[in-house]
Amino acid sequence: MSAKPVEFAVFTKPWRTLSLSALGAFVKGLGFDGIELPVRPGYQVTPDAIATDLPKAVRTLAAEGVKITSVAGSTNEATIAACAEAGVPIIRVCLDIPPGRAYLDHEAHIWAEYDQLVPLLERYGVTIGVQNHSGRYIANAMGLRHFLERYNPAQVGAVLDPAQFAIGVGRGLPDAREHAATARAAGPDVVRRCAGAHPVDVDHGDGVVARGDHAARPGGAVAPVDGDLLGWP
């Protein structure tokens, strides 16, 4: 059996003001096959209109040769049903741990919520993709594995973000790979902000950058790292 060809998609969070047709032409020109579309207030598709607007978005982007490979949005039944209707396979989420809440206590709270969603996901044929993210989130490979090992990745799987593994002390990528629904690379803002810095090879997790720390600039100068590097969900 031949392997499926690799498709490349980009998260379109930075381009909320473009029309869908302009967005499709733009990302196609960048060389991408698809997009992850934010379904959020102020974006091309909003949560309150997802049932009608997501299928329209799929058709508009398809005319430009671009797929919606995933959405970044809610995990309620309306979103799950709209994704099924539109043929969008993955709802990508980052699971934050609220301040003052113990990690394992909140993990159990999310498990209870997701356990109730599994029958819906199975019925609609949609996957929740949980992405690792630095900060007060499920931040690394072992955290993803622990959270996801109770689920079939066809319903709840991992969205692996190698850049966030580096920032979030994400050791042990193979630990999460068996649960993967898809893989995710650094967002364009991270790439833009890091362009020109002197690269250094480090072990997984050793490239940690905390807000207010310093990073090398070209020529050896140092400057505070922009905190926006950590805010990409």
Side-chain angles (χ1 to χ4, degrees):
M1 183 174 67
S2 61
K4 293 175 64 177
V6 174
E7 295 182 329
F8 293 93
V10 62
F11 186 26
T12 58
K13 179 180 175 181
W15 306 300
R16 62 193 294 173
T17 61
L18 293 180
S19 69
L20 284 165
S21 58
L23 180 64
F26 174 66
V27 299
K28 189 67 175 179
L30 294 176
F32 290 98
D33 307 298
I35 67 169
E36 177 175 277
L37 183 70
V39 177
R40 298 171 178 174
Y43 283 85
Q44 292 90 347
V45 175
T46 58
D48 59 345
I50 188 171
T52 56
D53 287 358
L54 187 60
K56 292 178 183 176
V58 167
R59 292 192 295 270
T60 300
L61 291 163
E64 303 294 337
V66 173
K67 301 177 181 179
I68 299 179
T69 58
S70 59
V71 300
S74 301
T75 55
N76 53 38
E77 185 172 4
T79 302
I80 295 169
C83 286
E85 177 67 23
V88 176
I90 295 172
I91 302 169
R92 194 270 304 173
V93 299
C94 295
L95 299 179
D96 65 306
I97 312 300
R101 190 84 178 263
Y103 183 101
L104 293 178
D105 289 347
H106 192 64
E107 184 179 57
H109 172 78
I110 301 170
W111 273 336
E113 176 186 338
Y114 277 30
D115 288 353
Q116 297 296 314
L117 290 175
V118 165
L120 288 176
L121 296 164
E122 189 170 14
R123 172 153 58 92
Y124 285 109
V126 173
T127 302
I128 294 175
V130 180
Q131 181 204 325
N132 57 292
H133 196 284
S134 61
R136 290 190 61 83
Y137 292 84
I138 294 179
N140 54 42
M142 189 56 71
L144 282 177
R145 177 171 182 159
H146 184 256
F147 180 78
L148 294 170
E149 60 189 354
R150 66 196 283 150
Y151 296 116
N152 184 330
Q155 280 83 56
V156 186
V159 174
L160 308 179
D161 188 330
Q164 294 291 346
F165 278 134
I167 296 171
V169 197
R171 300 181 185 275
L173 178 60
D175 294 332
R177 185 178 297 140
E178 66 189 83
H179 299 284
T182 186
R184 177 181 170 84
D189 198 51
V190 174
V191 175
R192 177 178 64 81
R193 291 177 187 273
C194 291
H198 298 296
V200 178
D201 290 331
V202 295
D203 292 333
H204 288 303
D206 289 344
V208 178
V209 179
R211 192 181 300 270
D213 282 357
H214 288 70
R217 280 185 172 175
V222 296
V225 172
D226 193 321
D228 288 348
L229 278 171
L230 305 182
W232 187 251

